[in-house]
Amino acid sequence: MFQKTRIQLALSYTTVMALILLSLGWGLWWFILGALTRETDRTLEQLAQQVQWSLPVRHRQTTWEVIVDRSVYFQPNGEARLIWFAPNRDLVRATVDPELFNTPLRLEVGWKTISTRNRIQYRQFTRQWTYEGQVLGYLSVLQPLTNRDQLLDQLSLALTFGIPITLLLSGAGGWLLAGTVIAPLRQRFAQLQQFTADASHELRTPIAAIQTNVQVLLMDPTVTRDQQRGLEAIERLSQRLGILVGDLLFLARNEGPLPTLDRQQLDLGLLLLELVEEQQPLADQKKLTLSLHLGTLVPVLGNGEQLARLVLNLISNALSYTPAGGTVSIRAWCENEHCYIAVQDTGIGIAPEDQAQVFERFYRVDQARARSQGGTGLGLAIAQTIARNHGGAITLESSPRQGSIFTLRLPL
């Protein structure tokens, strides 16, 4: 139990840390991308301003025109990557080869990212140039994003390897921290478990003494009728208390995986036949039909006494809550590396809101009826404990006034 809790705590810690690291890495990557892109945009805007100031303009007839060829930035040996579009949006001159790009260089005012055929990205900034109220053309400046992409690739590589390594270290740290936290809880639980076992064991002796003395007094011929009824009530209560103490002692001693030495190969068919034969008189007394259906079965590894108690608790529970004239059917089969035992009844059923709690200790769906049946509220808790100790589980399907199906799953 504590090992499973420790694993869950370590996994929860690692999961939270993974979400934090992934969010931090994702945010850092996008923050650096935005910062580098903004810096590139500022550089391009400044360059566009410088180029625009350097462009010579002349007046011809009634209009102005730009003499692009005379600009120092548009010379063949210039380092700037520039494109000039005429007022009608036709490409006039460029210091870059338009054939290098995947798509034709078209005029789009503002910012844009384009790619070349060899997958090199460029940032492009285009602005309109207006002089004396007349649109003289459009200037577009470009800058490769090679440095930015290299830096982002290095960051991605660092995050790709750094986050898993950090998670491994965090998982190891979480495992150690979970062990530190659980250690005192484990110790206190062991003390409580030992106290419960010791108290239950010590209570068995006085309860047995009470039952013996009551039986001796009941045999006394001088006991009056009223005294006899009182002694019989004491005997019933002591028997119920003895069952309760026995159940508590069983739970205290069997909370945890079943030792390998206590397991053996079991024939489920033979085990169920014996249990049905034992419970048949009780079913006849309550006028119930008790049936057994055996499918394909193979031997399972387990403790015969505990598994018999588990199935007996399920059968007794079904017989107790099924009215006269009803049926209790037991089916057993093996498939897909598991064996199944299903106990189905036509009893009062269990409401959906109670189904999640029926395996809790001392929980009763119908308090008054459960008391009248003489139960302790530990039968299903014991059954679930035995199932878990064998690596299995018990599931419940039920509807009010339509009966219930308790299904035990055991690994082969």
Side-chain angles (χ1 to χ4, degrees):
M1 179 179 66
F2 286 100
Q3 189 73 3
K4 182 178 180 180
T5 303
R6 185 178 183 181
I7 293 174
Q8 291 176 344
L9 287 175
L11 288 177
S12 300
Y13 177 80
T14 305
T15 301
V16 173
M17 184 60 66
L19 293 175
I20 294 174
L21 290 176
L22 290 174
S23 301
L24 180 62
W26 181 83
L28 179 63
W29 193 90
W30 281 103
F31 174 78
I32 293 179
L33 173 63
L36 293 176
T37 302
R38 287 191 297 271
E39 181 63 26
T40 301
D41 292 347
R42 283 194 294 269
T43 302
L44 288 176
E45 194 170 5
Q46 293 174 0
L47 177 60
Q49 187 68 35
Q50 294 175 5
V51 173
Q52 183 173 322
W53 289 343
S54 72
L55 291 175
V57 180
R58 68 182 177 185
H59 188 268
R60 175 175 291 182
Q61 296 179 355
T62 59
T63 61
W64 294 89
E65 66 178 1
V66 177
I67 310 175
V68 181
D69 295 341
R70 295 184 182 180
S71 172
V72 295
Y73 289 98
F74 277 93
Q75 300 306 314
N77 58 352
E79 297 181 357
R81 297 169 177 83
L82 308 173
I83 304 173
W84 179 259
F85 296 92
N88 61 358
R89 296 178 175 261
D90 291 338
L91 192 152
V92 176
R93 188 173 181 83
T95 61
V96 293
D97 186 3
E99 299 296 330
L100 293 176
F101 297 91
N102 292 326
T103 58
L105 293 176
R106 296 174 181 173
L107 175 58
E108 295 182 17
V109 177
W111 305 98
K112 186 174 68 170
T113 301
I114 57 178
S115 300
T116 62
R117 298 184 185 279
N118 54 359
R119 298 183 180 179
I120 297 178
Q121 288 190 325
Y122 278 80
R123 188 67 171 169
Q124 181 181 9
F125 172 61
T126 304
R127 65 187 302 178
Q128 183 187 70
W129 188 20
T130 304
Y131 186 80
E132 296 290 339
Q134 178 185 343
V135 178
L136 301 185
Y138 300 86
L139 175 64
S140 182
V141 293
L142 296 91
Q143 179 175 324
L145 300 176
T146 306
N147 293 335
R148 187 203 71 174
D149 293 342
Q150 289 178 350
L151 179 60
L152 291 176
D153 290 341
Q154 294 175 358
L155 177 62
S156 300
L157 185 63
L159 293 175
T160 301
F161 288 96
I163 289 179
I165 293 175
T166 305
L167 287 179
L168 288 176
L169 296 177
S170 299
W175 177 262
L176 295 177
L177 288 175
T180 303
V181 172
I182 289 178
L185 298 178
R186 186 197 299 269
Q187 183 179 2
R188 292 187 180 183
F189 180 80
Q191 294 173 350
L192 178 61
Q193 192 176 26
Q194 185 62 41
F195 170 78
T196 304
D198 294 342
S200 301
H201 181 73
E202 293 299 327
L203 285 173
R204 300 179 75 177
T205 301
I207 291 173
I210 292 174
Q211 292 176 346
T212 302
N213 290 324
V214 169
Q215 291 172 359
V216 171
L217 290 173
L218 286 173
M219 297 173 61
D220 189 349
T222 63
V223 174
T224 64
R225 180 59 181 168
D226 291 338
Q227 292 174 337
Q228 185 179 8
R229 285 197 295 266
L231 291 173
E232 289 174 350
I234 293 175
E235 184 181 24
R236 290 195 302 271
L237 291 175
S238 63
Q239 289 176 353
R240 183 179 299 176
L241 184 58
I243 296 174
L244 174 60
V245 170
D247 290 344
L248 288 174
L249 184 61
F250 177 87
L251 288 173
R253 290 178 173 176
N254 294 275
E255 191 71 42
L258 189 67
T260 306
L261 295 178
D262 293 341
R263 302 187 184 191
Q264 58 184 350
Q265 293 290 336
L266 300 174
D267 186 343
L268 286 181
L270 180 60
L271 177 68
L272 293 175
L273 283 172
E274 294 176 352
L275 292 176
V276 169
E277 289 179 358
E278 295 174 4
Q279 295 300 306
Q280 189 63 54
L282 180 59
D284 295 338
Q285 180 183 355
K286 293 189 173 185
K287 298 180 181 180
L288 300 175
T289 301
L290 179 61
S291 61
L292 174 63
H293 308 277
L294 299 178
T296 302
L297 293 174
V298 297
V300 298
L301 190 65
N303 183 288
E305 182 180 351
Q306 290 194 14
L307 288 178
R309 183 168 188 173
L310 186 161
V311 179
L312 181 61
N313 285 353
L314 296 180
I315 297 175
S316 299
N317 187 73
L319 294 176
S320 298
Y321 294 98
T322 302
T327 61
V328 175
S329 175
I330 305 168
R331 295 183 299 112
W333 72 98
C334 294
E335 63 179 8
N336 299 329
E337 303 298 326
H338 288 86
C339 281
Y340 300 86
I341 300 176
V343 180
Q344 182 176 4
D345 62 65
T346 58
I348 61 176
I350 302 173
E353 60 271 16
D354 294 321
Q355 293 182 16
Q357 299 174 286
V358 294
F359 295 102
E360 295 180 3
R361 300 179 184 183
F362 301 108
Y363 183 81
R364 290 182 173 91
V365 176
D366 188 341
Q367 297 287 341
R369 185 174 183 125
R371 294 289 184 187
S372 65
Q373 299 292 339
T376 62
L378 294 174
L380 292 179
I382 291 175
Q384 188 71 286
T385 298
I386 296 175
R388 290 174 178 172
N389 290 349
H390 285 76
I394 302 176
T395 58
L396 168 62
E397 299 178 22
S398 181
S399 299
R401 296 181 299 277
Q402 295 184 10
S404 305
I405 304 176
F406 287 88
T407 303
L408 168 65
R409 186 190 75 249
L410 293 173
L412 294 182

